[in-house]
Amino acid sequence: SIDEYSPSVVQVISVAPPKASSFIKGQSARSIPAVFEQSLPWADVVETGGFGKIAWYSKDVMPWPNGHIECIAIGSNHALNTKYKAMREVMEYIKIGGEDIEKARNVGGLELNKIVAIVQKYIPAHTSEAIIASLDPKLSVINYKNLDIDKAGLKQIMDYAVDGGILYENIDIDAFADERFDR
C-alpha cells in the first residue's frame, strides 16, 4: 500500500536515496525485512558494503533496445522560452559528460578513477567500490549512450505508470519531449 493508513502486507514508504543504506541497516538490525528501489550506485553501496543484495535491475524488467530508460532532464517553460541557448548548452554538456563516463567505464584505470572522484565530490556517500560496480560495462545497468529524446521509451514508462496507478491517465509526451535538444 502507498497509503500509510491502509492495512496491507507490504507498506511503501518514501526514503531519500542518501538514507536508503541506513534504512536497510536499521531495519536489518531490528530483524525487519526491508527493500528499496532506487537508482545506482545507492544499491551498490548496500551490496559492496555487505549488508544487502541487489535482487534485480530495472533493465531486466523493462528491457529496451537502446539501453536502460531512466533519467529525464526537466526545464521550466520560462527557461525554455527565455534561455533556450543556455538550456541547449547545459543539455550538450550533459551529453558530453555521458560520453566521458562511457569512455571511462570501458578504459578503466585512471579515467575511471577521475569519474569516481567527481561523483564522490558531490555525493560522498557513494563509495568508490559502489561507483565502479555500478559502471561495470559487463553489467551495463547505467547507460549514457543514448541521451536524445526517446518518445517510445517514455511511452513505455508512462504505460507502466498508468497500469500501476501512479498516473491516472496517459499524458501527451509530445507536449513535454522537446526534441530541439537532440543531436
Side-chain angles (χ1 to χ4, degrees):
S1 171
I2 295 175
D3 178 9
E4 64 182 293
Y5 302 108
S6 297
S8 63
V9 176
V10 175
Q11 181 66 50
V12 177
I13 62 169
S14 177
V15 177
K19 295 180 180 178
S21 301
S22 297
F23 174 76
I24 293 291
K25 277 184 182 177
Q27 296 299 88
S28 180
R30 294 177 192 81
S31 297
I32 300 170
V35 299
F36 68 80
E37 195 292 321
Q38 299 199 3
S39 60
L40 295 175
W42 296 110
D44 280 316
V45 169
V46 171
E47 189 161 278
T48 59
F51 52 92
K53 292 285 182 196
I54 294 172
W56 55 271
Y57 294 103
S58 54
K59 76 171 183 114
D60 299 327
V61 295
M62 285 183 10
W64 196 246
N66 292 330
H68 182 51
I69 308 163
E70 186 175 337
C71 297
I72 297 174
I74 299 175
S76 70
N77 286 336
H78 178 73
L80 290 168
N81 292 329
T82 63
K83 299 178 189 283
Y84 173 75
K85 286 183 180 179
M87 296 286 292
R88 178 130 183 105
E89 183 177 359
V90 167
M91 295 306 297
E92 185 60 25
Y93 277 102
I94 287 172
K95 292 174 184 184
I96 290 169
E99 291 167 354
D100 291 345
I101 292 169
E102 287 296 326
K103 177 184 172 198
R105 78 167 353 140
N106 289 308
V107 171
L110 182 59
E111 293 299 314
L112 185 56
N113 290 338
K114 288 179 188 176
I115 298 297
V116 168
I118 292 168
V119 172
Q120 288 184 311
K121 178 179 178 181
Y122 296 100
I123 311 172
H126 286 352
T127 64
S128 58
E129 295 81 11
I131 296 165
I132 291 168
S134 67
L135 291 174
D136 183 343
K138 289 177 249 140
L139 188 57
S140 190
V141 289
I142 298 178
N143 173 340
Y144 299 95
K145 296 176 187 170
N146 301 292
L147 297 180
D148 286 337
I149 298 292
D150 179 359
K151 289 183 182 181
L154 292 171
K155 183 179 180 327
Q156 179 186 16
I157 293 171
M158 177 185 65
D159 290 345
Y160 286 147
V162 170
D163 288 347
I166 296 166
L167 291 176
Y168 296 111
E169 60 186 36
N170 288 341
I171 57 173
D172 180 5
I173 291 172
D174 290 323
F176 77 86
D178 193 337
E179 293 175 298
R180 295 180 298 168
F181 297 103
D182 285 357
R183 283 186 171 168

